[in-house]
Amino acid sequence: MVSLRQFRIVFNNEDATYEPGEVVGGKIIVETTKDKYTKGLYFIVNGTAFVHWLEHNVRDESRSHSFASTQEYFSFKREILSERSSKAGHTIPYGLNEFTFSFRLPHKIPCSFENRVGYVRYTIKAVIDRPWKFNHECKAAFSVVSRLDLNLYREKCLAIHDEMNKNFNCICWIAQGSMSIQILVPCSGYVPGQVITITIRYTSTPNIPITKLSTKLLRTVHFHSPNNTLIHTNVLKKNKHMPPFPLNGHIVSELLIPPIPPSNLYHCDVIDLEYELVVSFHVSSPYCKIKRIYPLMIGTVPLYRPALTFLHGVVSRSAMSCMTQPPIIPYPPSMLGQSTESNISIQNRKISTIHMDIPSPCYEEGFSSTPHIKDMHETDYVFGVNNSFSPKYPVYNYPAPRLPNENL
């Protein structure tokens, strides 16, 4: 490979991030120190989901069971310098050469995802086909972000208004007591970059001291094989509040949504994603902690809310409605004569977020990555396979819904 100075793939999108159905384009860069004869130049594009894990035998740890599953979404080959177009072959001239490529992604494919147990990965490999010699190959990964518009799933993004009363019975020398808790969250649908604001009000008796209060953003991943399912849960964000806690308290906890893929991984049969908000009250021993779990939906397009919801300390009616439901999309003039809820609901789903006053996102790498993109049959001689890769996800600088000012 001494004569091959560069062999790499550059995408026309700086973030190398695309949506299903979009055209992916770029350049294959080949720099040589001399003329290079080849039968052809082509590229292969793959979209695959793969999971694999081992489970050790409880009785004999030296023995283990292997579980794996694969789902292929597409795999195709495109020729740039075709072997059929020239029986004499082709010559890549000395110096820097650029070959453009483009292809269209299928529509029904899942979002990119990387984890040590499994992944949804999209790659392109360029191949210089050399007669009677090993081929030159280079490979690169790119991100696919499936669109999940929260405005189309408003019934899953409702506000959280949870109230509970907990009685603690007398245990040995410890007297009984009680605690009253109210948890308020303006909605349960968010996009990366937004902040979940959790408002917690509580009242407790003196003999039930609170030792810690925590809020967490959890992600649970289900990896499926034909014979088993592995469930993996990890904490993405966490806030911890420590004593002293007054007997009658009010706490506001905020969790920033990091760059993460949207909920569910639609169109993927081997990996499922779920997100949850967990609020925990830790009380003094021997009583158990109080834990509340609420499902969240993470999308790629935020819930739209009209501007000026709060104006100079005055809470509008639309702001008050945030306490029970996500902000409402304003209806176009053509719908003003329609009064039935069914008609409004149907039309509401057809409204495009393109016309909403939502800024475009930036794209940031997720915290889950892979140390390489090498498949089992590939060698280290493939340019780019030992590069680490982390998918990128849209991150918005767009405010999440908030509760109205409590003092008003």
Side-chain angles (χ1 to χ4, degrees):
M1 293 189 183
V2 177
S3 62
L4 193 60
R5 184 172 295 170
Q6 279 192 78
F7 189 25
R8 59 192 178 94
I9 297 168
V10 178
F11 296 96
N12 57 4
N13 184 333
E14 183 179 356
D15 295 312
T17 303
Y18 303 88
E19 288 191 0
E22 192 174 352
V23 173
V24 179
K27 298 177 181 179
I28 300 171
I29 297 177
V30 182
E31 184 179 6
T32 66
T33 59
K34 63 180 181 180
D35 292 350
K36 183 173 286 292
Y37 173 72
T38 176
K39 290 170 58 180
L41 171 65
Y42 60 88
F43 64 90
I44 301 171
V45 185
N46 285 298
T48 307
F50 174 74
V51 298
H52 176 257
W53 73 92
L54 297 175
E55 291 188 4
H56 295 287
N57 191 305
V58 177
R59 297 181 179 180
D60 184 1
E61 293 186 357
S62 63
R63 300 179 61 184
S64 61
H65 297 281
S66 177
F67 299 94
S69 188
T70 303
Q71 183 180 12
E72 185 176 84
Y73 304 107
F74 58 84
S75 180
F76 55 83
K77 174 182 175 181
R78 296 285 188 272
E79 293 182 330
I80 297 177
L81 300 177
S82 174
E83 182 180 355
R84 296 187 300 272
S85 64
S86 175
K87 294 183 179 180
H90 302 270
T91 299
I92 299 176
Y94 157 78
L96 185 65
N97 300 270
E98 296 182 350
F99 302 92
T100 60
F101 68 88
S102 66
F103 59 90
R104 185 177 295 276
L105 292 169
H107 286 275
K108 295 183 178 181
I109 54 176
C111 185
S112 296
F113 175 75
E114 291 288 343
N115 184 277
R116 60 180 178 81
V117 178
Y119 58 78
V120 176
R121 188 180 299 164
Y122 301 93
T123 61
I124 175 174
K125 178 191 286 187
V127 180
I128 298 175
D129 190 357
R130 301 197 301 166
W132 310 109
K133 295 180 181 180
F134 290 111
N135 294 337
H136 290 320
E137 299 177 340
C138 71
K139 187 177 182 181
F142 58 94
S143 302
V144 172
V145 178
S146 301
R147 185 181 180 88
L148 199 162
D149 189 342
L150 295 177
N151 298 284
L152 303 181
Y153 297 89
R154 305 181 66 78
E155 69 282 359
K156 296 183 179 181
C157 301
L158 299 178
I160 298 169
H161 188 161
D162 192 9
E163 295 183 5
M164 73 203 82
N165 293 299
K166 174 69 173 178
N167 293 318
F168 297 89
N169 298 324
C170 179
I171 300 177
C172 299
W173 66 92
I174 303 178
Q176 64 182 8
S178 64
M179 183 181 296
S180 176
I181 300 172
Q182 184 183 52
I183 299 172
L184 301 173
V185 184
C187 74
S188 52
Y190 296 88
V191 295
Q194 290 186 325
V195 173
I196 307 174
T197 303
I198 308 110
T199 301
I200 304 165
R201 303 189 186 105
Y202 67 90
T203 302
S204 63
T205 53
N207 53 324
I208 306 295
I210 301 172
T211 58
K212 183 174 69 173
L213 190 153
S214 65
T215 57
K216 300 177 184 178
L217 172 63
L218 293 187
R219 181 173 71 188
T220 300
V221 188
H222 295 76
F223 301 97
H224 304 290
S225 76
N227 302 316
N228 201 0
T229 295
L230 176 67
I231 301 176
H232 183 262
T233 300
N234 64 313
V235 179
L236 302 180
K237 287 288 182 177
K238 179 179 180 180
N239 270 345
K240 185 167 61 175
H241 303 269
M242 302 301 291
F245 293 101
L247 295 180
N248 191 347
H250 173 203
I251 294 174
V252 176
S253 184
E254 294 186 334
L255 296 171
L256 175 66
I257 307 293
I260 50 178
S263 298
N264 301 322
L265 278 189
Y266 289 112
H267 306 301
C268 181
D269 297 331
V270 299
I271 305 174
D272 290 326
L273 292 182
E274 296 176 355
Y275 297 98
E276 293 173 322
L277 170 65
V278 179
V279 180
S280 300
F281 280 81
H282 300 255
V283 295
S284 60
S285 180
Y287 299 115
C288 297
K289 69 179 178 181
I290 301 172
K291 183 166 72 171
R292 307 295 282 185
I293 302 175
Y294 310 101
L296 296 177
M297 173 162 273
I298 302 299
T300 62
V301 177
L303 287 169
Y304 175 72
R305 62 184 178 88
L308 301 179
T309 301
F310 304 95
L311 182 61
H312 301 302
V314 178
V315 183
S316 67
R317 290 183 180 272
S318 61
M320 292 300 294
S321 69
C322 290
M323 295 189 65
T324 56
Q325 61 182 5
I328 302 301
I329 301 175
Y331 303 117
S334 61
M335 294 178 56
L336 294 179
Q338 302 177 6
S339 58
T340 63
E341 290 187 5
S342 59
N343 287 338
I344 290 176
S345 177
I346 292 172
Q347 293 294 331
N348 190 26
R349 287 180 177 270
K350 295 180 180 180
I351 297 174
S352 171
T353 55
I354 295 175
H355 305 294
M356 299 176 184
D357 186 20
I358 297 176
S360 299
C362 60
Y363 290 86
E364 297 181 12
E365 291 185 351
F367 63 90
S368 296
S369 62
T370 180
H372 61 80
I373 57 173
K374 182 169 59 177
D375 292 332
M376 288 186 293
H377 63 277
E378 290 177 326
T379 69
D380 291 334
Y381 292 105
V382 179
F383 289 89
V385 293
N386 290 316
N387 294 339
S388 62
F389 173 71
S390 180
K392 293 183 178 181
Y393 304 108
V395 177
Y396 286 84
N397 181 19
Y398 184 76
R402 297 182 66 89
L403 295 174
N405 193 322
E406 298 171 343
N407 298 322
L408 298 177

